Amino acid sequence: MALPLAGIRVLDISQVMAGPFCCMLLADMGADVIKIEPPGTGDSTRHSMGFRLKGSDSPGFLALNRNKRSITLDLKSSEDREVLYALVKTADVLIENARPGVAARLGMDYATLKALNPRLVYASISGFGQTGPWSQRPGFDLIAQAVSGVLSSNGFPGMEPAKNSIAVADLGAGLFTAYAVLSAVIGRQASGEGQYVDASLFEAALALSVWETTELWGTGASPTPIGSANRMSAPYQAVEASDGWFVIGAANQGLWLTFLKVLGREELQQDARFSTNAGRVQNRIALMETLAPTFLTRTRQEWIDLLMEAGVPTAPILDYGEAVVSEQAKAREMVQMVPHPVEGEFRALGFPVKLSATPQEIRLPPPLLNEHGDEIRRELTEKGLLAPATTKETA
C-alpha cells in the first residue's frame, strides 16, 4: 500500500530548520519533495555546526533532509527560473522561508506562481509573518523565543534568561505549516484551488504558550520562571533524592493523596495551603520546601520504584545518550540507521508517529547537493514542460 502522501509533490525552497523540518515530515509520509538549493553553497545548514562525520555536509543538514531530492537553481537566472516554473506546474505544495518581499523580487511569489498553477498550496515561513510592523525583521528561533514571552518564563527565578534548548519556534513553525498545507490540500478537493499559507516563528512560539498566556489572563501578571515546575498543578517537577534528581507528577487530587501515602506525609492534606491543587500551585515553593527533607531520605530509584508501584507518575532524568538507547526508544524504533553514499550509515531520529497500514520508511538518504538535478530536468523534459536545451548538465 502506498504511503499517504504518495503522488503529492512538494517544492522545498527553504533553508536551516523550520522549512526543511516541515518538508521532511511531508517526505516521510510519502511526498515527493524536491529540495531547490542555491548553486555552489546549497542550504546554508550544509556548512553549519562545528563538527562533521565523514563528508562535508553537517549532521544538522543530514538530520533534516532525508527522503528528498536535490536540484540547484539560481533563481536570479531567467533560465533557471524557467526550470522552477516548470516544476511549479507539476507541484502541489511549495514552501519557502525568505524574508518577506524577497520571493517577489525573484519572480517566485504566490501571485506569480498561482497564475502557472492555480491548485498550488504556497507556504511562506518567516520570522514574524508577511504583515505587521515587525515583518521585515530578521527572525531566528532565539529572537522569536525572546519576543513571544518564552524566554521570560523559562529557566529559574533570579538567573539570566534561559532559552529553551529545543528550538520551539523553528520546529513549532514547521509543524504548524505541515498542518496548514495538508489542510489546504484537503480543502482543494472541494474548491479546486490552492491557497497561500502565512506562518511565522513568532506566532508558533506564542501559540505554544498555552499555559503561560492562560496564567497571564487569569491572574493579570506575566508568568515568571519556575524551573521544572508546572503552572497548573503541583507537585509536578524535579525533586532531589539522596543521590540526585528525578521527577514526579502528582497532577490531580487522587494522585496527590496516593503520593502522600507513599511518602508517609498524610498530615499535609490537613494543611489548608496544600489540601487543594489551587492551594498547592499558589504555595508551591512552601510545599516543595516542606517535602524536600522527605525526599532526601531515599535514593532516586527507591522513590521511583515506590511511586510507580502506587501508580504515581515518576521518572528518572535521562540525558540524550541514555534516552536514545532506552528500552522504550528501542521498542518504538526511535533511532534509525540511514544509509548514505558518503557517510556509509549514520544515526537519525525515527518517526515520531506510527501508521499501522502504511508505516513510514527511509526511502532516500539526505541528498548530496544537486544530486538529482539532471534526473529532475529529464523528468520535466519528458513531460513537455522544459525544452531539451535547458536540460544541460549542471554542477
Side-chain angles (χ1 to χ4, degrees):
M1 188 181 297
L3 288 167
L5 297 185
I8 297 291
R9 172 166 285 183
V10 177
L11 304 184
D12 177 5
I13 316 183
S14 67
Q15 299 193 44
V16 189
M17 183 172 283
F21 179 65
C22 172
C23 292
M24 185 178 74
L25 295 178
L26 301 176
D28 287 348
M29 291 295 184
D32 174 23
V33 175
I34 297 177
K35 187 172 181 67
I36 298 172
E37 303 184 71
T41 58
D43 184 331
S44 61
T45 312
R46 287 184 183 270
H47 313 290
S48 66
M49 305 183 101
F51 58 93
R52 291 288 183 274
L53 300 178
K54 295 178 182 177
S56 60
D57 287 338
S58 77
F61 175 85
L62 299 177
L64 291 165
N65 289 283
R66 67 187 177 214
N67 287 331
K68 303 178 185 181
R69 299 191 288 166
S70 170
I71 182 173
T72 55
L73 295 177
D74 178 0
L75 297 179
K76 295 179 181 178
S77 155
S78 58
E79 184 176 349
D80 278 7
R81 271 201 305 274
E82 289 305 313
V83 179
L84 172 65
Y85 294 159
L87 280 169
V88 166
K89 293 174 183 177
T90 72
D92 297 280
V93 176
L94 183 148
I95 294 174
E96 62 89 15
N97 67 345
R99 193 180 299 189
V102 171
R105 291 199 295 272
L106 292 173
M108 51 164 277
D109 55 299
Y110 177 58
T112 298
L113 301 189
K114 179 184 178 182
L116 299 174
N117 181 359
R119 291 175 57 81
L120 183 69
V121 174
Y122 184 119
S124 295
I125 306 175
S126 61
F128 296 96
Q130 302 297 305
T131 60
W134 295 355
S135 62
Q136 289 301 311
R137 292 186 183 183
F140 291 108
D141 182 83
L142 174 64
I143 308 304
Q145 287 198 35
V147 297
S148 65
V150 171
L151 208 65
S152 74
S153 64
N154 205 40
F156 289 86
M159 296 181 67
E160 67 176 86
K163 180 180 74 69
N164 192 313
S165 65
I166 305 297
V168 292
D170 263 323
L171 297 176
L175 285 165
F176 284 131
T177 303
Y179 144 78
V181 298
L182 291 177
S183 297
V185 167
I186 293 170
R188 187 181 66 183
Q189 295 175 356
S191 69
E193 292 193 354
Q195 60 180 295
Y196 183 67
V197 174
D198 181 359
S200 76
L201 275 62
F202 168 68
E203 288 161 286
L206 196 53
L208 291 170
S209 302
V210 175
W211 280 163
E212 288 71 22
T213 52
T214 298
E215 180 177 323
L216 166 66
W217 292 320
T219 68
S222 286
T224 55
I226 57 173
S228 63
N230 186 277
R231 301 185 185 281
M232 298 295 166
S233 59
Y236 189 102
Q237 65 182 86
V239 295
E240 188 176 14
S242 63
D243 63 342
W245 294 79
F246 68 104
V247 296
I248 54 170
N252 59 48
Q253 193 68 7
L255 288 172
W256 161 249
L257 295 175
T258 303
F259 169 78
L260 291 181
K261 290 180 181 178
V262 173
L263 267 63
R265 297 295 305 272
E266 292 95 330
E267 81 282 359
L268 293 181
Q269 180 57 23
Q270 307 310 313
D271 190 321
R273 296 175 299 170
F274 310 140
S275 61
T276 65
N277 182 64
R280 292 191 293 276
V281 170
Q282 185 176 357
N283 297 286
R284 179 181 53 80
I285 294 175
L287 172 64
M288 301 317 295
E289 288 175 347
T290 301
L291 292 172
T294 302
F295 285 120
L296 291 172
T297 62
R298 294 181 185 269
T299 66
R300 287 173 293 183
Q301 195 57 52
E302 287 174 327
W303 282 123
I304 289 170
D305 291 343
L306 289 168
L307 290 165
M308 287 186 69
E309 184 179 0
V312 178
T314 182
I317 299 173
L318 305 182
D319 62 28
Y320 282 111
E322 295 168 321
V324 296
V325 298
S326 66
E327 58 183 0
Q328 187 65 15
K330 290 178 181 177
R332 298 293 290 175
E333 299 181 333
M334 277 306 295
V335 177
Q336 300 272 333
M337 296 304 299
V338 181
H340 190 273
V342 175
E343 306 296 343
E345 274 190 330
F346 65 89
R347 284 188 294 269
L349 289 176
F351 307 110
V353 293
K354 275 67 175 176
L355 277 65
S356 63
T358 56
Q360 306 97 304
E361 57 189 20
I362 297 172
R363 308 184 313 281
L364 295 170
L368 303 177
L369 182 61
N370 198 42
E371 180 178 353
H372 306 93
D374 294 330
E375 171 185 297
I376 292 167
R377 283 179 164 83
R378 282 194 299 271
E379 291 173 2
L380 295 172
T381 301
E382 290 167 2
K383 291 178 182 291
L385 297 172
L386 201 62
T390 317
T391 65
K392 65 181 185 299
E393 289 194 2
T394 55

